[in-house]
Structure formats: C-alpha cells, structure tokens
Amino acid sequence: MQSTPHAPPGDPEHAGRVGPPTSSMPSAPPAAEPGPREEPEEPRGCLYALSQPPLMLFLAVIGTLLGLCGVHDLLL
C-alpha cells in the first residue's frame, strides 16, 4: 500500500490521498539573524544576594539597633 499525504476536507485535487498536503509544509527553517550572541548567565551565589542595596540597608539598620542595645546595656 502506498502512503500519500492527507488531503484537506473538500479539496477535489487531493481527493483520496492520505497525509498532510505538501504545499503547506515549510521547505526549510528560517535563517537565524546574525548578531551578538548572548552569553548564558552564570549562577549567582550568596555574596551577590548579600550585596543588594535593600538588603544592605536592612542589615545596617539591624546592626545599628543591636549596637545601640549593646551600648545601652554596657552604660546602664
């Protein structure tokens, strides 16, 4: 038995064929545009997370409060 492409419903030209129509199949993949290639990002570790400004501000405030509590306990 010979395998042939499918015919779209109601298409008299391809009546009786099995498989997708050959005219709608792409002939070649689209060519990639030349340009700068993006390097894959390296995983960032703990030091990167600790260096973020909002976290540094939060840690500075907590450190200041702990320091003030320590000085208060020593002096009183």
Side-chain angles (χ1 to χ4, degrees):
M1 184 165 168
Q2 185 179 11
S3 175
T4 56
H6 281 291
D11 187 3
E13 182 180 331
H14 298 289
R17 292 189 180 176
V18 177
T22 56
S23 61
S24 67
M25 298 196 52
S27 59
E33 295 181 12
R37 294 182 61 185
E38 293 183 22
E39 296 294 325
E41 284 192 28
E42 294 182 17
R44 295 179 175 158
C46 181
L47 291 178
Y48 176 79
L50 288 175
S51 67
Q52 298 303 305
L55 182 59
M56 293 298 290
L57 182 62
F58 173 74
L59 293 176
V61 169
I62 297 300
T64 302
L65 290 175
L66 288 173
L68 287 174
C69 290
V71 170
H72 180 265
D73 284 344
L74 287 174
L75 297 178
L76 293 177

